[in-house]
Amino acid sequence: MKKPIIAIAGLTACSGCQLTLLNCEEELPEIAQRFIIDYFPLGLTERLITGPIDVAIVEGAVSTPSDLEILMKLRNSCRCLVALGTCALWGGIAAMKNQESRKDLAGTVYGSAADELKTFNPQPLHRFVKIDFAITGCPPEKGELLATLAALLRGTFPVFPRYPVCSECRSRENLCLLIERNEMCLGPLIQAGCNARCPAVGIRCEGCRGPVTEANVAAEMELFLKKGFPRDEIVSRMQRFYPEWNYEQRS
Amino acid sequence: MRNGRDMTMVPLPATIIGRKELSADTTLYRLTLESSEKDRFDFNPGQFVQLSVPSGGEVPLSLAGPPLLHYSFELCVRRVGHVTDMLHHLLPPNRVGVRGPFGNGFPLSEWTGRNILLIAGGLGIAPLRSLLYALLMRRGEFGEITLMYGAREPSAILFKEELAELSGRRDMHLFLTVDFATEQSPGGLACNTGLLPTLLRGVNFSTTGTVAAVCGPPALYRCLLEELQGFGITAEHIYLSLERRMKCGVGLCCHCAVGDLFCCSDGPVFRYSQLKGISGAI
Amino acid sequence: MTRNLLKHDSIADFLEILATFGELHGPVLTDVGVSAFRPLGPGIDLLLDYSRTLVPPKKYLLPPRDTVLFFATDEGYRQPAAAVPETILVGLHPCDLQGIAYLDKVFMRDRIDPLYRARRTALTLIGLSCEPDEYCFCGDLSATETHGCDLFMRRSPCEFHLRSNTPKGKAILDRLTPILAEGEPLPADSRTCDMAAAIQQASVRGETFEKSALWDEFAGRCLSCGACSLCCPTCYCFDIREYGALDGETTMRLREWDNCLFKDHGEVAGGFNFRKSRQERFHYRYQHKYLGFGPTRGIVSCVGCGRCRVVCPVGIDLLELFKESEDEKRP
Amino acid sequence: MNSVLEISPLTRVEGHGCINVLFAGTKVEKVSLSLYESPRFFEALLKGKSYSEVPEIICRICSLCSTVHRICSLLAIEKALDLRVSEQARLYRELILYGGHIQSHALHLFCLVLPDCFDVAGLSGLADKAPQELKRWLQIKAAGNLIQETVGGRTIHPVTLIPGGMGKPVNREGLLKLKESLQRVLPETRQAYELFRSFLPNGDKLATPRYVSVRPEGAAPFLGDSLTMGNGETIPVDSYKNLLREQMAGTGNAKTILVKDEPATVGALARLNLGMPLTPMAATAFEESRMLLTNADIRANNLAQAVELILAVERSLEIVDILLKADFTREEPAGIVPKKSRGSAAVEAPRGVLIHSYSFDGRGICRGADIVTPTVINQAAMERDLLALATHMEGADDEELTDALERLVRAYDPCISCAVHVLRI
Ligand SMILES: Cc1cc2nc3c(=O)[nH]c(=O)nc-3n(C[C@H](O)[C@H](O)[C@H](O)COP(=O)(O)OP(=O)(O)OC[C@H]3O[C@@H](n4cnc5c(N)ncnc54)[C@H](O)[C@@H]3O)c2cc1C
Ligand code: SF4
Ligand code: SF4
Ligand code: SF4
């Protein structure tokens, strides 16, 4: 089998997605053997993107000219581009206030020095380049990352289920926090794959994996409102990882 | 149970022994089961197999060749997604897995003495090719045989060489049509332009004692069935092959129900009369 | 007179003897307060007066996610060879027994699913009578204490009446004799339930409630969370997926619970969907639950356990269809 | 003739940064370190969010330190809202804090620094050169991650810890599994310490750091309510601003901080030098290497981290034992009544002192946030040392210099993601 050449890069992010890879302690040696890792600043002294690369795996949102430059360089030298994690796929935590002015946000943090910052609203990768595959999650699940790498060895991508977190939550026999404890659990709207991590330890789903394709956003909103949560609080929670919900969507 | 393995549940190893590109996205594969199983593979036209591409998954595919083809069988596959994509990277002598054959197939023995009209739209030619060869193998038992085949455009016509050969035969009629004519010639074939229902209205074929076998996308069924009945072919005598999502092929996974019928085990070939009252069937 | 009375205070001995027949599982209250079937052991209390578990016992036969095939380049596909441990499931309510009996029909009658069969054969079922709550509607739908289970325990104020239905059950009963008292067999339970009767009648009529306005109303509210069918004792739709391993050689094929209310349940390649709208998917669910498909045509698969009504976050209840039609009949 | 050596991007460190060395002829004129991580404006993101959302958002500042950010923010919130958490929650927090230190130190030492010791470019090189050892070292990292996963519900951005308490406690089975894995790696941590002891760099000594750390209270090494500088001087966390003075750095998006107008150093070396309580094996290791660690420059920091690995594993084992004995069941988190308030807390992150400070309005909505991260505190010292080292090395070729400067940066174990989100609102 020909060894795939991969590049791993991080843009505006917390490095958690790349760390997820480094957290595969069991598998790391095998990965190091089966792939040629061409560019991976977090783990490798190699400063140049030279290409050609089979697969570029990119973490983080795009929010500066230098992010964009790295992204473009990678896109131009790779065959497939994989968005790794919620920031790369949906914008993620840094994009939660994208509806507010970037300038004001910067000003709040950096005062007058803010003007010198070259930055724009954090955007998911697909706003700028074509992505061939995405692994969601903040951080992504080890299992999905490994399944993707395994599929790459065979020149393909894996197929992940498209149901919401609730499905995994119920089959794990968790207590439903939405029904039984009236908590603002986002499970019904969020893409599964984490095996309902949070409800399994008694914490409501905060939605870190972004929207599931088939989400009845409007009905969930009605339910939360009926349970007495103020609308602004619901919106604030829902936008934590994905700022662009369509609150009218029913299917 | 064959050779200690249950072929309805566990795919048997099969080898790709031939591969021919029919169009930009469609390829004909010839496969053979591995030695000890070879002689066991018999099927009815209209039946399908579940083909496994290791680490990709499994998809239902119609048997597209004549039955009893020297220990091998043919599949005509369009590249549309995950599994079919992986399949398109395979070459002889790569190995795949096969379960089946499944489903009912066309009831040839009930058709003895009748005129037979085959109508294929697009990839629907796959099962009908198998049916046609089976009919021709028993040519004497049937009346007039007509094949009408429509494709989107000349380059999408599959099996061009075979069609050219068939068009020379005197014991059957062949009519081709394309939705859009383009510069490209359909490879020396006589070809109409227009949708299949237009073709149906425009050519002569026997309508008495005729059974029709139709296979194509849902849109084709919607516009064709009324036409056929208009020619006096009753719902009882129109056979359709349906496509549904299938995961098991044997009536367990429950994705393919049409009304109270399973497409995989009660079908995929149905008489139109069976489907008439079922909303969403077609 | 037979020895068939189990005093309430002999339960511990009872369980100890049962445990000699295999791994003992039964309903317990988990640390988060959910009723669930779990392994029993010292210090774990068996629930004897529970209403229903969240997930039905089908998980013992069809686990939520199950490896059904392995593939290796040199040996092709093969089924997992792991031996299934003998398991005793104690404390199953009649609706759950009925649910298993239905699954048996699907997976062991016309088509035999080898994995299911292996697990089913290793399973001993011990039923337990129950008191319906406001969500149940099993009634005579599951007056089947005798069917499907090996041993049945009917509860009365200070004892359980045991009855064996199979040789397996008989063997267990024999072994229990030392801790049992003598008693009369109780007459069969003759509970009835109007809702259950209405469902049966509708099913026989082939009722589809085509005109009801409820379908749209359900579709508008449904969150597509999947709870109703995951928790239904007779929902068994499954999806199949396949994942290669990092070694580049081996592969696993998984079978996983699916749900007919999900959009991609009826979707085929190219995005064409045979059940595009949620209304259509509700109809599909109705068809399967109350009218049946293929070999189970005509069999009502709803056993009246009430789980789907309990677990739906937005309170959707297919029974409203039947109620509505009952109401219409009344002047 | 002026020339510039640009080292960009810095590799094998967390986040995006670069070094520019400015030469006048062969003389080093200036060295600048810029952290050009894209700013995510965390302080602004928090503004307007409920106190309950704050820990969940803020832990996303950085994946390597997500646990300690979460804990620091919980402590600050609880201080503001006058919440007392149960013994159970306190123990779990302490345990997961060690998990965070173990995984972070192990990642830094074994994945980012060790390639330098073996003269390879990165992990793949290590996998070739020392495959068996790599597997064993990664086990230490895995043990840290197992704590995160078991206690926190996830290895990165843990979820169980919430204001006033926690979700479900770990069951017996989970604790026993933890214990087993910690026991298995404890001897490995000692081996790792010996390995790093053998790789101590030599060469001209750089400046002796001015250390700052959280003043440890009781037996828990990384927690406390005041900051200390070792000369007897301590200040309560609430007045941290009197000690740490911020200034906007010339380049890059981070601020630098001076302590009494001088660069300060935080981190493992600082903690060891400022009398953090040690567990038996860690104490032995420290004693053995006292000379190497107390009279050193920052390049001894990696050895100090290795000592802390021993410490964190030992201390985790102690806590797991306490938890096993206590056999806690699930408890409801403390009831919370929001009020207008302000609270600051400090925790020792793997890289050193971390401070979170928040103010809330009457509804518990965050109106102000200030986060001081260790990398920001260290930045001035890092620049000072880089300049000194570059000057010592005048005449060396670019490759050699690049290599040495990068190694120096790695000794500090900077965390650039954390560093760029600093400043008061
Ligand atoms: C009885 C029958 C006979 C068929 N005969 C042929 C044939 O001869 N040649 C041919 O090219 N195609 C045929 N098809 C269609 C073929 O099965 C699909 O094109 C194939 O499943 C697509 O799989 P994919 O993974 O490549 O596509 P993807 O787009 O990646 O998968 C499509 C999605 O639909 C699901 N799916 C499940 N069952 C089906 C299904 N039956 N059709 C489409 N999608 C499905 C897949 O699991 C996946 O989720 C037939 C289908 C049926 C039911
Ligand atoms: S707890 Fe949340 S994820 Fe789980 S079932 Fe309830 S709503 Fe869904
Ligand atoms: S339960 Fe929700 S918040 Fe938790 S990991 Fe899963 S998707 Fe993320
Ligand atoms: S449909 Fe509902 S009530 Fe009927 S068996 Fe399923 S879960 Fe129980």
Side-chain angles (χ1 to χ4, degrees):
Chain A
M1 210 176 288
K2 202 178 132 275
K3 284 190 187 183
I5 304 172
I6 58 174
I8 303 155
L11 308 178
T12 300
C14 75
S15 302
C17 307
Q18 300 183 74
L19 185 58
T20 300
L21 176 67
L22 293 174
N23 278 351
C24 301
E25 290 95 2
E26 272 299 300
E27 299 83 2
L28 266 187
E30 176 143 28
I31 295 170
Q33 271 164 21
R34 297 204 180 271
F35 291 89
I36 297 170
I37 303 175
D38 200 46
Y39 177 78
F40 180 24
L42 181 58
L44 185 75
T45 333
E46 168 58 67
R47 272 170 260 277
L48 295 177
I49 300 169
T50 42
I53 294 162
D54 291 314
V55 187
I57 301 174
V58 183
E59 164 203 86
V62 183
S63 82
T64 62
S66 98
D67 282 345
L68 195 54
E69 192 189 322
I70 299 176
L71 181 64
M72 289 303 181
K73 259 192 208 155
L74 285 169
R75 180 70 267 188
N76 290 334
S77 43
C78 72
R79 277 198 305 123
C80 291
L81 190 120
V82 176
L84 178 61
T86 299
C87 295
L89 179 59
W90 304 112
I93 202 108
M96 69 167 81
K97 288 194 173 168
N98 271 3
Q99 71 281 22
E100 293 175 24
S101 135
R102 187 78 178 154
K103 226 172 149 192
D104 294 352
L105 290 180
T108 326
V109 181
Y110 290 94
S112 55
D115 290 347
E116 293 187 17
L117 299 176
K118 293 192 193 72
T119 163
F120 45 86
N121 274 350
Q123 306 285 327
L125 306 188
H126 66 80
R127 287 282 147 72
F128 304 96
V129 297
K130 171 175 169 278
I131 61 170
D132 299 286
F133 190 71
I135 307 172
T136 191
C138 179
E141 293 295 320
K142 242 182 183 181
E144 292 193 337
L145 179 57
L146 291 172
T148 307
L149 290 174
L152 288 175
L153 286 175
R154 298 159 170 91
T156 183
F157 293 114
V159 176
F160 293 136
R162 292 192 286 179
Y163 46 69
V165 171
C166 290
S167 286
E168 287 177 330
C169 189
R170 293 312 199 157
S171 31
R172 275 189 89 167
E173 302 176 283
N174 294 331
L175 185 80
C176 178
L177 302 165
L178 179 63
I179 299 179
E180 308 293 338
R181 300 174 72 109
N182 284 317
E183 294 191 33
M184 201 198 293
C185 185
L186 299 186
L189 301 177
I190 301 302
Q191 171 63 48
C194 59
N195 208 7
R197 263 179 194 284
C198 303
V201 292
I203 304 290
R204 76 253 170 300
C205 170
E206 55 171 326
C208 79
R209 296 174 57 82
V212 66
T213 332
E214 182 189 355
N216 194 338
V217 187
E220 175 90 348
M221 183 61 113
E222 284 155 18
L223 181 65
F224 284 153
L225 289 170
K226 213 168 87 192
K227 285 187 185 282
F229 297 106
R231 195 180 172 95
D232 58 346
E233 204 178 317
I234 303 170
V235 168
S236 157
R237 278 288 266 291
M238 288 181 61
Q239 295 194 336
R240 187 182 296 170
F241 296 96
Y242 173 59
E244 293 163 34
W245 288 96
N246 169 4
Y247 294 100
E248 310 297 316
Q249 180 186 334
R250 280 203 189 263
S251 61
Chain B
M1 202 71 81
R2 290 166 187 174
N3 199 13
R5 296 216 229 191
D6 181 354
M7 199 172 174
T8 58
M9 293 299 171
V10 185
L12 282 186
T15 310
I16 299 176
I17 52 171
R19 183 182 193 277
K20 185 175 175 203
E21 298 202 356
L22 300 176
S23 76
D25 59 2
T26 308
T27 304
L28 183 70
Y29 289 90
R30 183 175 287 200
L31 298 136
T32 179
L33 290 175
E34 298 195 351
S35 52
S36 59
E37 323 285 346
K38 264 186 183 168
D39 48 345
R40 316 248 177 174
F41 203 81
D42 188 14
F43 62 89
N44 291 327
Q47 283 195 293
F48 64 97
V49 291
Q50 289 278 9
L51 185 86
S52 294
V53 179
S55 83
E58 198 173 56
V59 290
L61 294 170
S62 302
L63 288 151
L68 294 175
L69 185 81
H70 275 293
Y71 299 142
S72 63
F73 55 94
E74 290 179 335
L75 302 172
C76 168
V77 191
R78 176 178 293 167
R79 178 179 184 168
V80 290
H82 183 62
V83 178
T84 48
D85 204 50
M86 286 183 78
L87 180 63
H88 274 70
H89 289 112
L90 300 184
L91 300 168
N94 284 152
R95 289 162 82 194
V96 291
V98 171
R99 291 192 298 133
F102 296 130
N104 52 2
F106 294 98
L108 264 71
S109 45
E110 293 174 25
W111 294 355
T112 328
R114 292 184 171 275
N115 296 323
I116 296 170
L117 172 63
L118 310 180
I119 305 182
L123 202 59
I125 191 69
L128 293 193
R129 172 176 178 259
S130 173
L131 176 60
L132 178 67
Y133 283 122
L135 292 170
L136 293 176
M137 276 155 78
R138 294 157 58 176
R139 183 66 193 89
E141 295 172 38
F142 309 99
E144 194 177 290
I145 296 179
T146 309
L147 170 64
M148 299 188 190
Y149 171 31
R152 259 174 60 80
E153 53 189 4
S155 67
I157 298 177
L158 307 175
F159 304 108
K160 289 200 186 75
E161 290 143 38
E162 286 178 47
L163 292 171
E165 221 170 276
L166 290 172
S167 68
R169 279 180 85 126
R170 305 205 150 190
D171 55 355
M172 66 165 285
H173 306 288
L174 173 69
F175 300 104
L176 296 179
T177 185
V178 289
D179 300 355
F180 315 100
T182 55
E183 251 82 293
Q184 242 175 336
S185 86
L189 289 164
C191 187
N192 299 282
T193 306
L195 300 175
L196 272 166
T198 323
L199 180 70
L200 190 69
R201 271 175 258 131
V203 300
N204 282 326
F205 62 96
S206 313
T207 54
T208 45
T210 301
V211 296
V214 191
C215 187
L220 174 70
Y221 296 146
R222 281 193 289 266
C223 59
L224 205 66
L225 292 169
E226 290 313 308
E227 295 276 346
L228 283 173
Q229 290 177 95
F231 282 108
I233 306 177
T234 63
E236 193 65 17
H237 292 120
I238 303 175
Y239 294 82
L240 319 168
S241 176
L242 296 190
E243 179 182 348
R244 283 295 183 276
R245 176 160 173 175
M246 284 177 192
K247 284 295 174 181
C248 68
V250 295
L252 290 178
C253 80
C254 283
H255 286 87
C256 72
V258 179
D260 63 1
L261 303 165
F262 276 134
C263 181
C264 65
S265 48
D266 297 317
V269 177
F270 295 98
R271 290 170 195 262
Y272 181 40
S273 53
Q274 281 175 288
L275 303 176
K276 255 187 157 169
I278 302 176
S279 84
I282 291 163
Chain C
M1 283 296 230
T2 47
R3 278 185 175 274
N4 67 349
L5 290 189
L6 176 70
K7 298 277 180 221
H8 283 182
D9 53 14
S10 308
I11 280 289
D13 297 334
F14 169 69
L15 295 177
E16 206 169 291
I17 294 174
L18 283 184
T20 62
F21 287 87
E23 253 177 48
L24 193 58
H25 290 242
V28 304
L29 201 62
T30 65
D31 53 353
V32 291
V34 168
S35 308
F37 285 96
R38 289 287 151 87
L40 299 175
I44 304 172
D45 291 329
L46 170 72
L47 290 179
L48 286 164
D49 52 356
Y50 70 108
S51 49
R52 61 185 68 69
T53 55
L54 175 62
V55 168
K58 72 173 173 187
K59 68 175 183 182
Y60 287 94
L61 298 159
L62 302 165
R65 196 175 288 163
D66 197 11
T67 303
V68 290
L69 289 177
F70 291 106
F71 173 86
T73 316
D74 48 352
E75 55 179 320
Y77 285 92
R78 65 179 165 76
Q79 288 184 310
V84 188
E86 269 308 311
T87 303
I88 319 293
L89 261 188
V90 61
L92 297 157
H93 286 166
C95 56
D96 281 346
L97 289 171
Q98 175 92 341
I100 293 178
Y102 176 80
L103 296 178
D104 286 350
K105 276 190 203 122
V106 175
F107 289 92
M108 300 212 308
R109 201 176 65 183
D110 299 295
R111 281 283 178 221
I112 291 172
D113 180 83
L115 267 176
Y116 181 97
R117 185 177 54 188
R119 294 200 176 104
R120 181 67 180 88
T121 321
L123 207 56
T124 303
L125 306 177
I126 300 184
L128 171 70
S129 59
C130 71
E131 284 307 314
D133 68 5
E134 72 272 30
Y135 292 102
C136 299
F137 52 99
C138 68
D140 38 0
L141 278 180
S142 58
T144 42
E145 311 180 343
T146 45
H147 299 320
C149 75
D150 298 288
L151 194 68
F152 194 85
M153 310 163 62
R154 173 92 68 75
R155 191 193 187 103
S156 62
C158 32
E159 61 234 339
F160 294 99
H161 295 254
L162 303 191
R163 190 178 56 234
S164 71
N165 295 322
T166 63
K168 245 187 194 173
K170 177 80 171 54
I172 295 176
L173 200 55
D174 287 347
R175 191 86 73 76
L176 289 170
T177 319
I179 61 160
L180 299 180
E182 285 190 356
E184 292 290 339
L186 282 184
D189 208 344
S190 61
R191 204 158 57 211
T192 58
C193 166
D194 294 344
M195 182 49 72
I199 291 174
Q200 269 308 343
Q201 286 156 16
S203 175
V204 171
R205 284 202 304 280
E207 181 64 77
T208 54
F209 302 116
E210 208 60 55
K211 299 218 168 58
S212 173
L214 283 169
W215 301 110
D216 287 347
E217 206 261 322
F218 290 160
R221 268 194 295 162
C222 170
L223 297 177
S224 295
C225 73
C228 53
S229 71
L230 295 168
C231 296
C232 175
T234 60
C235 274
Y236 60 86
C237 281
F238 57 80
D239 199 358
I240 299 271
R241 288 197 311 275
E242 200 157 314
Y243 295 107
L246 258 187
D247 58 11
E249 301 285 321
T250 57
T251 285
M252 265 182 358
R253 184 175 291 178
L254 303 179
R255 174 157 83 183
E256 187 173 46
W257 291 351
D258 200 352
N259 186 331
C260 59
L261 289 178
F262 289 165
K263 193 188 238 160
D264 47 11
H265 192 270
E267 195 172 282
V268 297
F272 190 88
N273 197 330
F274 288 96
R275 291 179 289 283
K276 219 188 218 83
S277 71
R278 209 178 264 129
Q279 280 88 335
E280 289 169 284
R281 302 197 285 276
F282 266 103
H283 280 289
Y284 197 82
R285 179 171 171 81
Y286 174 89
Q287 168 89 35
H288 197 187
K289 290 282 98 172
Y290 300 105
L291 306 176
F293 293 146
T296 57
R297 208 167 291 143
I299 303 177
V300 175
S301 69
C302 172
V303 297
C305 68
R307 283 185 177 89
C308 55
R309 314 166 79 188
V310 179
V311 298
C312 179
V314 290
I316 290 172
D317 182 0
L318 281 189
L319 292 191
E320 283 174 30
L321 288 164
F322 300 96
K323 283 199 201 119
E324 194 182 58
S325 78
E326 288 295 297
D327 291 347
E328 269 165 22
K329 270 187 244 155
R330 261 173 234 134
Chain D
M1 247 278 293
N2 282 1
S3 63
V4 179
L5 169 67
E6 189 191 31
I7 309 175
S8 173
L10 285 173
T11 62
R12 281 191 273 125
V13 296
E14 194 289 331
H16 303 151
C18 75
I19 298 175
N20 281 299
V21 187
L22 187 70
F23 293 95
T26 54
K27 282 225 139 331
V28 174
E29 188 102 299
K30 194 178 159 212
V31 178
S32 69
L33 168 70
S34 52
L35 310 180
Y36 61 82
E37 184 76 23
S38 327
R40 286 177 293 159
F41 307 138
F42 267 94
E43 289 85 345
L45 297 183
L46 291 181
K47 207 172 163 183
K49 298 282 179 182
S50 146
Y51 70 89
S52 65
E53 284 203 69
V54 168
E56 292 163 355
I57 295 173
I58 203 67
C59 70
R60 261 96 184 176
I61 265 193
C62 166
S63 58
L64 275 72
C65 341
S66 56
T67 302
V68 42
H69 274 289
R70 185 143 183 158
I71 289 179
C72 197
S73 93
L74 289 175
L75 295 176
I77 291 166
E78 285 162 0
K79 226 178 200 177
L81 302 180
D82 280 332
L83 289 171
R84 299 203 135 268
V85 301
S86 64
E87 179 67 2
Q88 171 185 3
R90 208 190 52 69
L91 283 166
Y92 274 109
R93 287 177 186 182
E94 197 186 331
L95 178 56
I96 196 173
L97 192 56
Y98 301 132
H101 276 247
I102 297 170
Q103 73 84 24
S104 174
H105 281 355
L107 173 81
H108 181 62
L109 291 176
F110 305 129
C111 300
L112 309 188
V113 176
L114 212 52
D116 288 339
C117 307
F118 282 82
D119 270 325
V120 293
L123 267 180
S124 313
L126 272 186
D128 282 344
K129 215 161 181 173
Q132 288 318 314
E133 288 87 340
L134 180 62
K135 272 194 186 149
R136 276 174 38 212
W137 297 321
L138 287 175
Q139 292 271 307
I140 303 179
K141 183 162 165 296
N145 274 333
L146 189 65
I147 299 181
Q148 310 272 303
E149 172 97 40
T150 317
V151 176
R154 183 158 64 192
T155 47
I156 302 169
H157 309 321
V159 298
T160 28
L161 313 171
I162 51 174
M166 58 181 287
K168 222 172 89 173
V170 180
N171 60 18
R172 200 173 172 76
E173 214 185 332
L175 288 172
L176 287 173
K177 234 173 97 190
L178 263 188
K179 183 168 175 172
E180 195 241 286
S181 108
L182 288 164
Q183 277 172 335
R184 195 154 24 92
V185 301
L186 185 57
E188 304 286 344
T189 56
R190 168 77 204 186
Q191 304 262 313
Y193 150 78
E194 280 164 17
L195 179 79
F196 278 93
R197 201 176 129 98
S198 70
F199 284 130
L200 222 53
N202 37 27
D204 296 323
K205 191 166 169 291
L206 302 171
T208 305
R210 173 198 284 266
Y211 297 121
V212 175
S213 83
V214 171
R215 197 177 76 133
E217 280 151 39
F222 303 133
L223 296 158
D225 252 342
S226 53
L227 303 174
T228 177
M229 291 177 58
N231 52 2
E233 202 177 324
T234 61
I235 60 148
V237 170
D238 290 330
S239 40
Y240 68 95
K241 282 195 190 115
N242 297 338
L243 185 69
L244 309 171
R245 303 226 177 252
E246 297 168 322
Q247 58 172 44
M248 191 77 195
T251 42
N253 296 337
K255 292 209 63 178
T256 53
I257 282 182
L258 296 179
V259 173
K260 309 212 159 165
D261 300 324
E262 252 191 68
T265 299
V266 295
L269 195 59
R271 291 188 284 257
L272 283 178
N273 274 286
L274 295 178
M276 157 176 71
L278 297 177
T279 46
M281 276 175 67
T284 311
F286 181 53
E287 274 316 312
E288 285 168 14
S289 303
R290 184 175 279 280
M291 283 312 291
L292 300 169
L293 290 167
T294 50
N295 190 19
D297 63 43
I298 193 63
R299 286 173 294 179
N301 194 39
N302 293 152
L303 179 60
Q305 290 179 314
V307 174
E308 282 195 345
L309 266 185
I310 307 178
L311 167 75
V313 172
E314 269 187 299
R315 181 77 185 141
S316 300
L317 274 167
E318 287 173 20
I319 297 191
V320 170
D321 277 330
I322 299 175
L323 289 172
L324 275 168
K325 209 173 286 154
D327 200 14
F328 289 115
T329 52
R330 181 176 185 166
E331 12 166 83
E332 290 300 314
I336 297 174
V337 190
K339 58 174 183 180
K340 189 165 179 337
S341 55
R342 176 178 281 282
S344 311
V347 175
E348 280 291 339
R351 291 154 190 80
V353 177
L354 170 69
I355 297 165
H356 282 215
S357 176
Y358 305 111
S359 54
F360 297 105
D361 69 11
R363 285 169 57 218
I365 304 295
C366 179
R367 289 296 162 210
D370 182 25
I371 289 148
V372 181
T373 67
T375 299
V376 173
I377 304 179
N378 276 340
Q379 194 177 346
M382 244 186 281
E383 287 189 324
R384 174 199 63 202
D385 288 353
L386 284 169
L387 178 64
L389 184 62
T391 315
H392 288 318
M393 291 182 67
E394 272 168 14
D397 66 27
D398 281 1
E399 202 175 319
E400 211 179 322
L401 185 59
T402 301
D403 196 50
L405 294 184
E406 267 202 308
R407 285 180 191 213
L408 178 61
V409 170
R410 281 181 208 125
Y412 274 99
D413 186 6
C415 192
I416 302 173
S417 291
C418 296
V420 285
H421 312 290
V422 189
L423 212 124
R424 195 170 339 128
I425 42 178

